[in-house]
């Protein structure tokens, strides 16, 4: 089953939130049934109201479920024999149920972040397709020209727009489509199928050094794309995950860059290695790498300058930094992440091409996704660059930076367009 069919099934049969909640609560139901078989008659009698509430998730029903569990615990507490053992089992069961509910909430939030973050792009796509389909009369040459213009306007890239158009000319389903809705579904399915095919063997995982070694992650990108902010957000995420994190303020030429990174460091309780204003960026990197290695930091994030993406001196500086890093930690940097601003569309694609040619980029961080009404840049990056998007930003808070999930992205972008 392809990605398009999976998300279409989500759309028409089960919303993602309901699916996740149902699966998790089903596990709880199984646990409850197992408990009822092993406990006394008094405990078993109280299991039924709990089971009746297992499939319910709104606030009132959750309260009822909680009350039932409380009554169950009280009944077990009153049993004359094995009292302490029963209490311990009850507490363990409550903790397990609490953890499961927490997992449900985390997953729901993940889906909501994608849904809300892609709202502007989803609306923009819908408006463009609706304008395109409003003129639909028959599948002819004018139809394909309008389609290509619509796709390019949505930032999917010229190459992919032409590729989609050419492949659709041979599409039997399109030739037989009579309703506008059928035409729309065929086009979107082709987009999703090509996107999925381009992503075969794509490595979206973050790579880290072996245990005991420092992972070095280099961030590149032009000024204004949110590079320093992205580093701060990731530092906060990994620090909260229990990793020791160090930041290197190697963007010494942009006024305020070091101070901005230091503010993020304070917010995340993460130290920052900084040099003097206009200092040699490579000297800051050397000091940071030595500190990270000697003091056994788990992760070192390196902020770099981004004056002009085609500036030869800038590219030479990046190469110098990499040589210094590799001299101290031979297998580093473990990731070179290119930060792109989604709102800049095709300019972001040009930046990706230039940096990929000179920086050995391993992945993309796409920021400000919530601020664009186009959203097709993700398709263009995969189709033309064959670079994985590893992180995607939907807002200003650290929690708004999320690991990129292609299936959630496709669903969030097209769910209101497919019937």
């Amino acid at each position: 089953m392809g990605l398009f069919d999976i998300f279409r099934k989500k759309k028409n049969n089960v919303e993602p939130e309901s699916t996740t909640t149902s699966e998790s609560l089903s596990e709880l139901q199984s646990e409850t049934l197992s408990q009822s078989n092993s406990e006394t008659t008094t405990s078993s009698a109280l299991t039924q109201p709990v089971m009746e509430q297992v499939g319910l998730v709104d606030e009132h029903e959750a309260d009822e479920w909680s009350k039932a569990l409380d009554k169950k615990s009280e009944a077990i507490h009153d049993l004359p024999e094995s009292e302490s053992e029963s209490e311990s089992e009850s507490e363990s069961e409550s903790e397990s149920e609490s953890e499961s509910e927490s997992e449900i909430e985390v997953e729901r939030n993940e889906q909501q972040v994608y849904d809300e973050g892609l709202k502007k792009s989803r609306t923009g796509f819908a408006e463009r397709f609706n304008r395109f389909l409003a003129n639909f009369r028959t599948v002819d040459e004018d139809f394909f020209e309008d389609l290509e213009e619509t796709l390019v306007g949505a930032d999917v890239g010229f190459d992919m727009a032409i590729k989609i158009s050419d492949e659709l000319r041979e599409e039997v389903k399109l030739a037989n489509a009579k309703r506008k809705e059928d035409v729309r579904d065929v086009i979107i399915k082709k987009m999703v199928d090509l996107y999925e095919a381009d992503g075969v063997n794509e490595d979206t995982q973050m790579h880290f050094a072996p245990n005991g070694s420092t992972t070095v992650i280099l961030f590149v990108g032009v000024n204004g794309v949110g590079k320093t902010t992205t580093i701060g957000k990731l530092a906060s995420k990994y620090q909260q995950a229990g990793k020791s994190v160090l930041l290197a303020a190697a963007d010494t030429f942009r006024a305020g860059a070091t101070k901005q990174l230091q503010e993020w460091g304070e917010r995340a309780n993460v130290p920052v290695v900084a040099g003097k204003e206009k200092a040699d960026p490579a000297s800051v990197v050397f000091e940071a790498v030595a500190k990270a290695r000697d003091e056994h930091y788990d992760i070192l994030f390196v902020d770099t300058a981004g004056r002009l993406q085609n500036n030869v001196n800038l590219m030479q500086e990046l190469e110098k930094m990499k040589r210094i890093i590799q001299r101290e930690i031979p297998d580093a940097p473990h990731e070179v992440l290119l930060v792109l601003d989604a709102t800049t569309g095709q300019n972001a694609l040009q930046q990706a091409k230039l940096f990929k040619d000179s920086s050995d980029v391993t992945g993309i961080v796409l920021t400000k996704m919530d601020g664009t009404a186009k959203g097709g840049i993700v398709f263009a990056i995969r189709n033309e660059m064959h670079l994985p998007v590893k992180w995607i930003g939907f807002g200003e808070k650290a929690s708004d930076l999320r690991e990129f999930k292609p299936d959630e992205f496709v669903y969030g972008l097209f769910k209101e367009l497919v019937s």
Side-chain angles (χ1 to χ4, degrees):
M1 183 181 292
L3 183 58
F4 178 84
D5 297 316
I6 291 172
F7 101 77
R8 192 177 191 180
K9 185 176 181 181
K10 274 187 179 182
K11 166 72 177 177
N12 294 330
N13 295 332
V14 184
E15 287 293 327
E17 292 180 16
S18 300
T19 301
T20 304
T21 302
S22 176
E23 290 173 353
S24 298
L25 288 178
S26 178
E27 293 176 3
L28 291 180
Q29 187 175 22
S30 297
E31 291 176 7
T32 306
L33 285 167
S34 176
Q35 292 160 12
S36 68
N37 291 332
S38 61
E39 291 172 351
T40 64
T41 305
T42 305
S43 177
S44 178
L46 290 169
T47 303
Q48 183 61 31
V50 177
M51 290 174 57
E52 291 174 353
Q53 300 300 322
V54 163
L56 307 175
V57 294
D58 63 39
E59 185 175 354
H60 171 72
E61 293 161 338
D63 287 341
E64 293 299 319
W65 187 11
S66 179
K67 289 176 182 177
L69 289 172
D70 289 342
K71 290 179 180 178
K72 179 181 176 182
S73 296
E74 290 173 4
I76 293 173
H77 182 273
D78 291 335
L79 290 176
E81 296 180 2
S82 305
E83 181 176 349
S84 60
E85 182 179 348
S86 298
E87 286 178 349
S88 177
E89 290 177 358
S90 178
E91 289 173 1
S92 176
E93 291 160 5
S94 296
E95 287 175 2
S96 175
E97 287 157 350
S98 177
E99 288 172 2
S100 298
E101 288 183 80
S102 177
E103 290 173 2
I104 294 167
E105 187 62 32
V106 168
E107 186 66 26
R108 186 184 297 128
N109 287 342
E110 183 78 5
Q111 293 161 356
Q112 287 176 344
V113 167
Y114 268 84
D115 187 56
E116 294 168 6
L118 291 171
K119 183 176 181 180
K120 194 170 184 179
S121 291
R122 184 166 57 248
T123 301
F125 257 98
E127 290 176 351
R128 289 175 186 278
F129 269 95
N130 287 337
R131 286 198 300 269
F132 163 69
L133 291 170
N135 299 321
F136 171 72
R137 295 294 180 272
T138 184
V139 178
D140 54 16
E141 193 58 35
D142 289 339
F143 169 87
F144 288 107
E145 288 183 5
D146 290 345
L147 173 61
E148 291 165 9
E149 183 178 343
T150 299
L151 294 174
V152 170
D155 271 348
V156 301
F158 179 78
D159 289 352
M160 189 169 187
I162 297 299
K163 189 175 182 180
I164 290 171
S165 178
D166 288 344
E167 291 199 12
L168 283 172
R169 292 174 192 271
E170 309 299 325
E171 181 66 61
V172 175
K173 289 183 180 179
L174 183 59
N176 294 329
K178 303 301 180 184
R179 300 187 308 145
K180 293 180 180 180
E181 293 79 5
D182 297 332
V183 173
R184 181 191 61 199
D185 284 1
V186 171
I187 294 171
I188 293 176
K189 184 179 188 303
K190 178 60 65 176
M191 288 181 65
V192 175
D193 287 348
L194 286 175
Y195 176 68
E196 187 176 18
D198 287 335
V200 173
N201 298 323
E202 185 178 75
D203 184 6
T204 61
Q205 298 298 312
M206 291 287 287
H207 295 279
F208 297 90
N211 291 338
S213 301
T214 299
T215 297
V216 181
I217 300 178
L218 199 65
F219 290 81
V220 300
V222 302
N223 290 337
V225 296
K227 188 164 70 268
T228 303
T229 300
T230 296
I231 294 172
K233 291 177 179 179
L234 284 175
S236 178
K237 281 182 177 291
Y238 282 109
Q239 194 273 343
Q240 290 177 13
K243 300 293 184 181
S244 56
V245 181
L246 181 67
L247 307 183
D251 184 359
T252 59
F253 295 99
R254 181 169 66 88
T258 297
K259 184 178 180 181
Q260 182 184 5
L261 191 64
Q262 288 172 329
E263 289 175 352
W264 271 105
E266 291 177 4
R267 195 179 308 176
N269 195 27
V270 170
V272 179
V273 175
K276 296 180 181 179
E277 188 176 349
K278 307 298 183 183
D280 182 2
S283 67
V284 177
V285 172
F286 174 77
E287 182 182 349
V289 172
K291 180 180 176 67
R293 181 197 59 207
D294 296 343
E295 298 181 20
H296 306 291
Y297 279 89
D298 293 321
I299 305 174
L300 170 63
F301 290 133
V302 181
D303 192 9
T304 67
R307 288 165 291 177
L308 290 173
Q309 66 268 30
N310 59 352
N311 187 308
V312 175
N313 291 334
L314 171 60
M315 298 309 173
Q316 290 176 343
E317 287 173 5
L318 292 174
E319 284 299 321
K320 184 178 179 181
M321 290 181 195
K322 286 177 64 178
R323 288 196 301 271
I324 289 173
I325 292 170
Q326 289 172 348
R327 188 174 64 201
E328 304 301 318
I329 304 177
D331 60 339
H334 303 88
E335 293 278 2
V336 179
L337 298 181
L338 172 59
V339 183
L340 298 175
D341 180 346
T343 64
T344 61
Q346 294 305 299
N347 284 337
L349 190 62
Q350 293 304 313
Q351 293 167 25
K353 291 178 179 178
L354 289 165
F355 272 101
K356 183 184 180 183
D357 291 340
S358 60
S359 304
D360 298 325
V361 174
T362 59
I364 302 290
V365 180
L366 199 59
T367 65
K368 309 177 188 179
M369 194 67 211
D370 58 317
T372 177
K374 298 181 178 181
I377 188 63
V378 172
F379 290 83
I381 289 171
R382 178 179 276 188
N383 177 254
E384 297 185 35
M385 304 304 302
H386 299 289
L387 283 172
V389 176
K390 297 198 173 188
W391 296 89
I392 188 166
F394 294 114
E396 297 299 322
K397 297 181 294 184
S399 59
D400 292 328
L401 183 66
R402 297 283 172 142
E403 292 182 36
F404 181 69
K405 297 184 177 181
D407 53 344
E408 292 289 350
F409 176 81
V410 169
Y411 181 77
L413 192 62
F414 291 132
K415 72 173 188 176
E416 293 178 4
L417 279 172
V418 176
S419 57

mmCIF file with all atom_site columns, all heavy atoms in Angstrom, residues 274-293:
data_model
loop_
_atom_site.group_PDB
_atom_site.id
_atom_site.type_symbol
_atom_site.label_atom_id
_atom_site.label_alt_id
_atom_site.label_comp_id
_atom_site.label_asym_id
_atom_site.label_entity_id
_atom_site.label_seq_id
_atom_site.pdbx_PDB_ins_code
_atom_site.Cartn_x
_atom_site.Cartn_y
_atom_site.Cartn_z
_atom_site.occupancy
_atom_site.B_iso_or_equiv
_atom_site.pdbx_formal_charge
_atom_site.auth_seq_id
_atom_site.auth_comp_id
_atom_site.auth_asym_id
_atom_site.auth_atom_id
_atom_site.pdbx_PDB_model_num
ATOM 1   N N   . ALA A 1 274 ? 32.614 31.030 23.102 1.00 0.00 ? 274 ALA A N   1
ATOM 2   C CA  . ALA A 1 274 ? 32.548 32.207 22.234 1.00 0.00 ? 274 ALA A CA  1
ATOM 3   C C   . ALA A 1 274 ? 33.894 32.910 22.211 1.00 0.00 ? 274 ALA A C   1
ATOM 4   O O   . ALA A 1 274 ? 34.643 32.900 23.198 1.00 0.00 ? 274 ALA A O   1
ATOM 5   C CB  . ALA A 1 274 ? 31.462 33.160 22.714 1.00 0.00 ? 274 ALA A CB  1
ATOM 6   N N   . GLY A 1 275 ? 34.220 33.537 21.096 1.00 0.00 ? 275 GLY A N   1
ATOM 7   C CA  . GLY A 1 275 ? 35.440 34.327 20.971 1.00 0.00 ? 275 GLY A CA  1
ATOM 8   C C   . GLY A 1 275 ? 35.106 35.805 20.916 1.00 0.00 ? 275 GLY A C   1
ATOM 9   O O   . GLY A 1 275 ? 33.954 36.208 21.102 1.00 0.00 ? 275 GLY A O   1
ATOM 10  N N   . LYS A 1 276 ? 36.105 36.604 20.657 1.00 0.00 ? 276 LYS A N   1
ATOM 11  C CA  . LYS A 1 276 ? 35.883 38.038 20.538 1.00 0.00 ? 276 LYS A CA  1
ATOM 12  C C   . LYS A 1 276 ? 35.194 38.355 19.220 1.00 0.00 ? 276 LYS A C   1
ATOM 13  O O   . LYS A 1 276 ? 35.231 37.572 18.272 1.00 0.00 ? 276 LYS A O   1
ATOM 14  C CB  . LYS A 1 276 ? 37.227 38.776 20.614 1.00 0.00 ? 276 LYS A CB  1
ATOM 15  C CG  . LYS A 1 276 ? 37.944 38.637 21.950 1.00 0.00 ? 276 LYS A CG  1
ATOM 16  C CD  . LYS A 1 276 ? 39.255 39.407 21.934 1.00 0.00 ? 276 LYS A CD  1
ATOM 17  C CE  . LYS A 1 276 ? 39.985 39.258 23.267 1.00 0.00 ? 276 LYS A CE  1
ATOM 18  N NZ  . LYS A 1 276 ? 41.282 39.982 23.275 1.00 0.00 ? 276 LYS A NZ  1
ATOM 19  N N   . GLU A 1 277 ? 34.566 39.523 19.167 1.00 0.00 ? 277 GLU A N   1
ATOM 20  C CA  . GLU A 1 277 ? 33.906 39.950 17.937 1.00 0.00 ? 277 GLU A CA  1
ATOM 21  C C   . GLU A 1 277 ? 34.921 40.019 16.807 1.00 0.00 ? 277 GLU A C   1
ATOM 22  O O   . GLU A 1 277 ? 36.037 40.507 16.983 1.00 0.00 ? 277 GLU A O   1
ATOM 23  C CB  . GLU A 1 277 ? 33.235 41.307 18.140 1.00 0.00 ? 277 GLU A CB  1
ATOM 24  C CG  . GLU A 1 277 ? 32.372 41.736 16.962 1.00 0.00 ? 277 GLU A CG  1
ATOM 25  C CD  . GLU A 1 277 ? 31.642 43.046 17.228 1.00 0.00 ? 277 GLU A CD  1
ATOM 26  O OE1 . GLU A 1 277 ? 31.635 43.503 18.386 1.00 0.00 ? 277 GLU A OE1 1
ATOM 27  O OE2 . GLU A 1 277 ? 31.095 43.604 16.274 1.00 0.00 ? 277 GLU A OE2 1
ATOM 28  N N   . LYS A 1 278 ? 34.549 39.508 15.626 1.00 0.00 ? 278 LYS A N   1
ATOM 29  C CA  . LYS A 1 278 ? 35.385 39.457 14.430 1.00 0.00 ? 278 LYS A CA  1
ATOM 30  C C   . LYS A 1 278 ? 36.549 38.476 14.566 1.00 0.00 ? 278 LYS A C   1
ATOM 31  O O   . LYS A 1 278 ? 37.472 38.477 13.736 1.00 0.00 ? 278 LYS A O   1
ATOM 32  C CB  . LYS A 1 278 ? 35.943 40.845 14.084 1.00 0.00 ? 278 LYS A CB  1
ATOM 33  C CG  . LYS A 1 278 ? 34.909 41.942 13.963 1.00 0.00 ? 278 LYS A CG  1
ATOM 34  C CD  . LYS A 1 278 ? 33.914 41.679 12.836 1.00 0.00 ? 278 LYS A CD  1
ATOM 35  C CE  . LYS A 1 278 ? 32.928 42.834 12.703 1.00 0.00 ? 278 LYS A CE  1
ATOM 36  N NZ  . LYS A 1 278 ? 31.892 42.571 11.658 1.00 0.00 ? 278 LYS A NZ  1
ATOM 37  N N   . ALA A 1 279 ? 36.551 37.664 15.608 1.00 0.00 ? 279 ALA A N   1
ATOM 38  C CA  . ALA A 1 279 ? 37.618 36.675 15.777 1.00 0.00 ? 279 ALA A CA  1
ATOM 39  C C   . ALA A 1 279 ? 37.555 35.638 14.671 1.00 0.00 ? 279 ALA A C   1
ATOM 40  O O   . ALA A 1 279 ? 36.527 35.467 14.002 1.00 0.00 ? 279 ALA A O   1
ATOM 41  C CB  . ALA A 1 279 ? 37.497 36.010 17.138 1.00 0.00 ? 279 ALA A CB  1
ATOM 42  N N   . ASP A 1 280 ? 38.654 34.926 14.464 1.00 0.00 ? 280 ASP A N   1
ATOM 43  C CA  . ASP A 1 280 ? 38.695 33.864 13.470 1.00 0.00 ? 280 ASP A CA  1
ATOM 44  C C   . ASP A 1 280 ? 37.732 32.757 13.895 1.00 0.00 ? 280 ASP A C   1
ATOM 45  O O   . ASP A 1 280 ? 37.896 32.165 14.966 1.00 0.00 ? 280 ASP A O   1
ATOM 46  C CB  . ASP A 1 280 ? 40.124 33.313 13.374 1.00 0.00 ? 280 ASP A CB  1
ATOM 47  C CG  . ASP A 1 280 ? 40.254 32.226 12.326 1.00 0.00 ? 280 ASP A CG  1
ATOM 48  O OD1 . ASP A 1 280 ? 39.245 31.919 11.653 1.00 0.00 ? 280 ASP A OD1 1
ATOM 49  O OD2 . ASP A 1 280 ? 41.357 31.668 12.187 1.00 0.00 ? 280 ASP A OD2 1
ATOM 50  N N   . PRO A 1 281 ? 36.721 32.458 13.088 1.00 0.00 ? 281 PRO A N   1
ATOM 51  C CA  . PRO A 1 281 ? 35.746 31.423 13.469 1.00 0.00 ? 281 PRO A CA  1
ATOM 52  C C   . PRO A 1 281 ? 36.408 30.080 13.757 1.00 0.00 ? 281 PRO A C   1
ATOM 53  O O   . PRO A 1 281 ? 35.973 29.343 14.645 1.00 0.00 ? 281 PRO A O   1
ATOM 54  C CB  . PRO A 1 281 ? 34.835 31.335 12.244 1.00 0.00 ? 281 PRO A CB  1
ATOM 55  C CG  . PRO A 1 281 ? 34.970 32.641 11.560 1.00 0.00 ? 281 PRO A CG  1
ATOM 56  C CD  . PRO A 1 281 ? 36.382 33.071 11.788 1.00 0.00 ? 281 PRO A CD  1
ATOM 57  N N   . ALA A 1 282 ? 37.476 29.774 13.032 1.00 0.00 ? 282 ALA A N   1
ATOM 58  C CA  . ALA A 1 282 ? 38.151 28.494 13.216 1.00 0.00 ? 282 ALA A CA  1
ATOM 59  C C   . ALA A 1 282 ? 38.765 28.377 14.607 1.00 0.00 ? 282 ALA A C   1
ATOM 60  O O   . ALA A 1 282 ? 38.835 27.281 15.171 1.00 0.00 ? 282 ALA A O   1
ATOM 61  C CB  . ALA A 1 282 ? 39.233 28.310 12.155 1.00 0.00 ? 282 ALA A CB  1
ATOM 62  N N   . SER A 1 283 ? 39.191 29.510 15.170 1.00 0.00 ? 283 SER A N   1
ATOM 63  C CA  . SER A 1 283 ? 39.772 29.473 16.511 1.00 0.00 ? 283 SER A CA  1
ATOM 64  C C   . SER A 1 283 ? 38.714 29.130 17.558 1.00 0.00 ? 283 SER A C   1
ATOM 65  O O   . SER A 1 283 ? 38.991 28.428 18.537 1.00 0.00 ? 283 SER A O   1
ATOM 66  C CB  . SER A 1 283 ? 40.430 30.821 16.842 1.00 0.00 ? 283 SER A CB  1
ATOM 67  O OG  . SER A 1 283 ? 39.459 31.849 16.957 1.00 0.00 ? 283 SER A OG  1
ATOM 68  N N   . VAL A 1 284 ? 37.497 29.617 17.351 1.00 0.00 ? 284 VAL A N   1
ATOM 69  C CA  . VAL A 1 284 ? 36.387 29.304 18.259 1.00 0.00 ? 284 VAL A CA  1
ATOM 70  C C   . VAL A 1 284 ? 36.055 27.818 18.158 1.00 0.00 ? 284 VAL A C   1
ATOM 71  O O   . VAL A 1 284 ? 35.821 27.139 19.163 1.00 0.00 ? 284 VAL A O   1
ATOM 72  C CB  . VAL A 1 284 ? 35.145 30.163 17.927 1.00 0.00 ? 284 VAL A CB  1
ATOM 73  C CG1 . VAL A 1 284 ? 33.969 29.776 18.819 1.00 0.00 ? 284 VAL A CG1 1
ATOM 74  C CG2 . VAL A 1 284 ? 35.457 31.643 18.075 1.00 0.00 ? 284 VAL A CG2 1
ATOM 75  N N   . VAL A 1 285 ? 36.043 27.303 16.935 1.00 0.00 ? 285 VAL A N   1
ATOM 76  C CA  . VAL A 1 285 ? 35.746 25.893 16.721 1.00 0.00 ? 285 VAL A CA  1
ATOM 77  C C   . VAL A 1 285 ? 36.802 25.018 17.387 1.00 0.00 ? 285 VAL A C   1
ATOM 78  O O   . VAL A 1 285 ? 36.481 24.016 18.050 1.00 0.00 ? 285 VAL A O   1
ATOM 79  C CB  . VAL A 1 285 ? 35.666 25.578 15.212 1.00 0.00 ? 285 VAL A CB  1
ATOM 80  C CG1 . VAL A 1 285 ? 35.560 24.070 14.973 1.00 0.00 ? 285 VAL A CG1 1
ATOM 81  C CG2 . VAL A 1 285 ? 34.472 26.290 14.586 1.00 0.00 ? 285 VAL A CG2 1
ATOM 82  N N   . PHE A 1 286 ? 38.068 25.396 17.248 1.00 0.00 ? 286 PHE A N   1
ATOM 83  C CA  . PHE A 1 286 ? 39.147 24.622 17.863 1.00 0.00 ? 286 PHE A CA  1
ATOM 84  C C   . PHE A 1 286 ? 38.975 24.560 19.376 1.00 0.00 ? 286 PHE A C   1
ATOM 85  O O   . PHE A 1 286 ? 39.085 23.481 19.984 1.00 0.00 ? 286 PHE A O   1
ATOM 86  C CB  . PHE A 1 286 ? 40.503 25.243 17.520 1.00 0.00 ? 286 PHE A CB  1
ATOM 87  C CG  . PHE A 1 286 ? 41.660 24.598 18.234 1.00 0.00 ? 286 PHE A CG  1
ATOM 88  C CD1 . PHE A 1 286 ? 42.152 23.378 17.811 1.00 0.00 ? 286 PHE A CD1 1
ATOM 89  C CD2 . PHE A 1 286 ? 42.221 25.195 19.349 1.00 0.00 ? 286 PHE A CD2 1
ATOM 90  C CE1 . PHE A 1 286 ? 43.205 22.758 18.479 1.00 0.00 ? 286 PHE A CE1 1
ATOM 91  C CE2 . PHE A 1 286 ? 43.264 24.593 20.028 1.00 0.00 ? 286 PHE A CE2 1
ATOM 92  C CZ  . PHE A 1 286 ? 43.766 23.367 19.587 1.00 0.00 ? 286 PHE A CZ  1
ATOM 93  N N   . GLU A 1 287 ? 38.703 25.706 19.995 1.00 0.00 ? 287 GLU A N   1
ATOM 94  C CA  . GLU A 1 287 ? 38.527 25.754 21.448 1.00 0.00 ? 287 GLU A CA  1
ATOM 95  C C   . GLU A 1 287 ? 37.321 24.912 21.874 1.00 0.00 ? 287 GLU A C   1
ATOM 96  O O   . GLU A 1 287 ? 37.386 24.187 22.882 1.00 0.00 ? 287 GLU A O   1
ATOM 97  C CB  . GLU A 1 287 ? 38.342 27.201 21.895 1.00 0.00 ? 287 GLU A CB  1
ATOM 98  C CG  . GLU A 1 287 ? 38.204 27.363 23.402 1.00 0.00 ? 287 GLU A CG  1
ATOM 99  C CD  . GLU A 1 287 ? 37.984 28.809 23.824 1.00 0.00 ? 287 GLU A CD  1
ATOM 100 O OE1 . GLU A 1 287 ? 38.138 29.718 22.974 1.00 0.00 ? 287 GLU A OE1 1
ATOM 101 O OE2 . GLU A 1 287 ? 37.635 29.036 25.002 1.00 0.00 ? 287 GLU A OE2 1
ATOM 102 N N   . ALA A 1 288 ? 36.236 25.003 21.110 1.00 0.00 ? 288 ALA A N   1
ATOM 103 C CA  . ALA A 1 288 ? 35.017 24.269 21.463 1.00 0.00 ? 288 ALA A CA  1
ATOM 104 C C   . ALA A 1 288 ? 35.215 22.758 21.325 1.00 0.00 ? 288 ALA A C   1
ATOM 105 O O   . ALA A 1 288 ? 34.775 21.980 22.186 1.00 0.00 ? 288 ALA A O   1
ATOM 106 C CB  . ALA A 1 288 ? 33.858 24.727 20.583 1.00 0.00 ? 288 ALA A CB  1
ATOM 107 N N   . VAL A 1 289 ? 35.860 22.330 20.248 1.00 0.00 ? 289 VAL A N   1
ATOM 108 C CA  . VAL A 1 289 ? 36.085 20.900 20.037 1.00 0.00 ? 289 VAL A CA  1
ATOM 109 C C   . VAL A 1 289 ? 36.971 20.334 21.134 1.00 0.00 ? 289 VAL A C   1
ATOM 110 O O   . VAL A 1 289 ? 36.709 19.238 21.667 1.00 0.00 ? 289 VAL A O   1
ATOM 111 C CB  . VAL A 1 289 ? 36.707 20.646 18.647 1.00 0.00 ? 289 VAL A CB  1
ATOM 112 C CG1 . VAL A 1 289 ? 37.131 19.182 18.506 1.00 0.00 ? 289 VAL A CG1 1
ATOM 113 C CG2 . VAL A 1 289 ? 35.714 20.997 17.553 1.00 0.00 ? 289 VAL A CG2 1
ATOM 114 N N   . ALA A 1 290 ? 38.029 21.071 21.494 1.00 0.00 ? 290 ALA A N   1
ATOM 115 C CA  . ALA A 1 290 ? 38.927 20.612 22.551 1.00 0.00 ? 290 ALA A CA  1
ATOM 116 C C   . ALA A 1 290 ? 38.188 20.483 23.884 1.00 0.00 ? 290 ALA A C   1
ATOM 117 O O   . ALA A 1 290 ? 38.363 19.502 24.619 1.00 0.00 ? 290 ALA A O   1
ATOM 118 C CB  . ALA A 1 290 ? 40.102 21.573 22.684 1.00 0.00 ? 290 ALA A CB  1
ATOM 119 N N   . LYS A 1 291 ? 37.352 21.470 24.185 1.00 0.00 ? 291 LYS A N   1
ATOM 120 C CA  . LYS A 1 291 ? 36.588 21.435 25.434 1.00 0.00 ? 291 LYS A CA  1
ATOM 121 C C   . LYS A 1 291 ? 35.598 20.275 25.429 1.00 0.00 ? 291 LYS A C   1
ATOM 122 O O   . LYS A 1 291 ? 35.473 19.542 26.428 1.00 0.00 ? 291 LYS A O   1
ATOM 123 C CB  . LYS A 1 291 ? 35.831 22.759 25.614 1.00 0.00 ? 291 LYS A CB  1
ATOM 124 C CG  . LYS A 1 291 ? 34.986 22.844 26.891 1.00 0.00 ? 291 LYS A CG  1
ATOM 125 C CD  . LYS A 1 291 ? 34.282 24.206 26.972 1.00 0.00 ? 291 LYS A CD  1
ATOM 126 C CE  . LYS A 1 291 ? 33.356 24.290 28.179 1.00 0.00 ? 291 LYS A CE  1
ATOM 127 N NZ  . LYS A 1 291 ? 34.119 24.269 29.450 1.00 0.00 ? 291 LYS A NZ  1
ATOM 128 N N   . ALA A 1 292 ? 34.896 20.095 24.324 1.00 0.00 ? 292 ALA A N   1
ATOM 129 C CA  . ALA A 1 292 ? 33.900 19.025 24.223 1.00 0.00 ? 292 ALA A CA  1
ATOM 130 C C   . ALA A 1 292 ? 34.553 17.653 24.373 1.00 0.00 ? 292 ALA A C   1
ATOM 131 O O   . ALA A 1 292 ? 34.030 16.771 25.064 1.00 0.00 ? 292 ALA A O   1
ATOM 132 C CB  . ALA A 1 292 ? 33.166 19.115 22.891 1.00 0.00 ? 292 ALA A CB  1
ATOM 133 N N   . ARG A 1 293 ? 35.710 17.482 23.743 1.00 0.00 ? 293 ARG A N   1
ATOM 134 C CA  . ARG A 1 293 ? 36.407 16.189 23.812 1.00 0.00 ? 293 ARG A CA  1
ATOM 135 C C   . ARG A 1 293 ? 36.977 15.940 25.208 1.00 0.00 ? 293 ARG A C   1
ATOM 136 O O   . ARG A 1 293 ? 36.802 14.853 25.774 1.00 0.00 ? 293 ARG A O   1
ATOM 137 C CB  . ARG A 1 293 ? 37.535 16.176 22.781 1.00 0.00 ? 293 ARG A CB  1
ATOM 138 C CG  . ARG A 1 293 ? 38.334 14.880 22.719 1.00 0.00 ? 293 ARG A CG  1
ATOM 139 C CD  . ARG A 1 293 ? 39.645 15.107 22.007 1.00 0.00 ? 293 ARG A CD  1
ATOM 140 N NE  . ARG A 1 293 ? 40.419 16.140 22.708 1.00 0.00 ? 293 ARG A NE  1
ATOM 141 C CZ  . ARG A 1 293 ? 41.314 16.926 22.106 1.00 0.00 ? 293 ARG A CZ  1
ATOM 142 N NH1 . ARG A 1 293 ? 41.530 16.814 20.809 1.00 0.00 ? 293 ARG A NH1 1
ATOM 143 N NH2 . ARG A 1 293 ? 41.978 17.827 22.802 1.00 0.00 ? 293 ARG A NH2 1
#
